[in-house]
Amino acid sequence: MTSITIRELRADDIDEYCRFLTVNFYGHEPVLQTPGDHKIVTDTPEKRETRLAIIRQGLSLVAVDSSNEGRIVGCAYSEEMVPNDLEINWNKVNEKKPTTFLDHVHLLLSGVEMRSKFFERFGVSKALFLNILTVDATVRNQGIGRRLVAALIKLGRSKGFPLIAVSCTSLYSTRVMSALGMSCVHSENYSDFKDEDGNVVLKPPAPHTSVNLMAMKL
């Protein structure tokens, strides 16, 4: 555990970071464990371009294992968000009817973030938004996720952010955020998110039943 340190996620980490996401985020994120062959493409030039733009904001962190050549074992992938970003994201996901599994995931998350009205609730004009928190399966249950979020909170304060927010898709991440002082400002059950035929689209394994928008003033 003493070999794990936290540092900024850098642009020159992009190759390793994308591999890390493929295995540890796409391979273990509860929502993405919905039964079925979803044919999710985890790494494309477009995805890399988006990731690099966010990484270059200097607001993302990684946990690295210094005893294993600095291998990435956790990440808190974050960005600055302003109210207009929510509307842009919402309009983008609603440009067309969702046809892929990820289309439905993005539609739900964008809707949760819009309906939470977290900017209005806290009376702020910008926030540090945590997009992805994930830890390598081989080193979970060692407090690495909590350390990453605690470091991110400290970073947010040092950068002058008035608020930190995150859409928690699992019970475990919700508990981490709550333990660090965040409160749930909006929650939606997966069982209530259905397609136009009335079928439940997202079916993560137990005990994950809802998306919870967690936030805290900094």
Side-chain angles (χ1 to χ4, degrees):
M1 188 61 190
T2 56
S3 66
I4 306 298
T5 58
I6 309 296
R7 65 164 172 82
E8 180 182 327
L9 175 61
R10 304 183 298 255
D12 61 5
D13 293 316
I14 189 64
D15 290 337
E16 183 184 0
Y17 178 63
C18 288
R19 291 193 297 270
F20 173 82
L21 286 182
T22 296
V23 175
N24 298 288
F25 176 68
Y26 289 99
H28 294 274
E29 158 62 35
V31 173
L32 303 183
Q33 304 313 302
T34 295
D37 182 10
H38 306 303
K39 296 181 173 62
I40 297 173
V41 178
T42 65
D43 189 10
T44 65
E46 293 75 19
K47 287 182 185 293
R48 287 199 172 210
E49 183 178 347
T50 298
R51 289 167 183 165
L52 280 169
I54 291 175
I55 289 169
R56 288 181 176 126
Q57 291 183 20
L59 300 172
S60 297
L61 302 173
V62 286
V64 297
D65 185 354
S66 59
S67 70
N68 191 6
E69 300 181 338
R71 180 175 68 94
I72 293 175
V73 294
C75 77
Y77 174 66
S78 316
E79 66 180 318
E80 178 174 342
M81 183 175 283
V82 297
N84 192 49
D85 291 329
L86 296 179
E87 185 173 354
I88 291 172
N89 291 340
W90 178 246
N91 290 336
K92 183 177 180 179
V93 299
N94 281 277
E95 286 178 351
K96 61 182 179 67
K97 175 182 174 181
T99 56
T100 69
F101 179 73
L102 280 184
D103 285 345
H104 286 286
V105 173
H106 294 153
L107 181 62
L108 172 63
L109 293 180
S110 180
V112 166
E113 290 154 16
M114 278 285 288
R115 292 184 286 273
S116 72
K117 299 184 182 297
F118 65 88
F119 283 108
E120 293 92 328
R121 285 174 183 263
F122 289 93
V124 299
S125 59
K126 69 175 183 177
L128 178 58
F129 197 86
L130 174 54
N131 293 301
I132 295 175
L133 174 68
T134 194
V135 174
D136 190 307
T138 64
V139 292
R140 287 180 185 163
N141 302 312
Q142 297 183 36
I144 295 173
R146 180 171 178 146
R147 285 179 60 192
L148 279 163
V149 179
L152 188 65
I153 290 171
K154 184 178 180 180
L155 176 63
R157 287 178 175 143
S158 72
K159 296 286 189 180
F161 283 94
L163 186 77
I164 185 169
V166 53
S167 291
C168 293
T169 56
S170 82
L171 176 63
Y172 306 140
S173 60
T174 300
R175 287 175 175 170
V176 169
M177 306 309 164
S178 180
L180 288 169
M182 297 190 202
S183 59
C184 181
V185 298
H186 186 72
S187 181
E188 295 188 18
N189 292 326
Y190 291 119
S191 59
D192 294 331
F193 183 66
K194 302 176 181 179
D195 62 21
E196 60 182 14
D197 297 319
N199 301 309
V200 176
V201 179
L202 307 179
K203 302 176 183 179
H208 314 292
T209 60
S210 62
V211 182
N212 303 297
L213 196 295
M214 307 291 289
M216 179 177 72
K217 277 202 167 184
L218 299 178

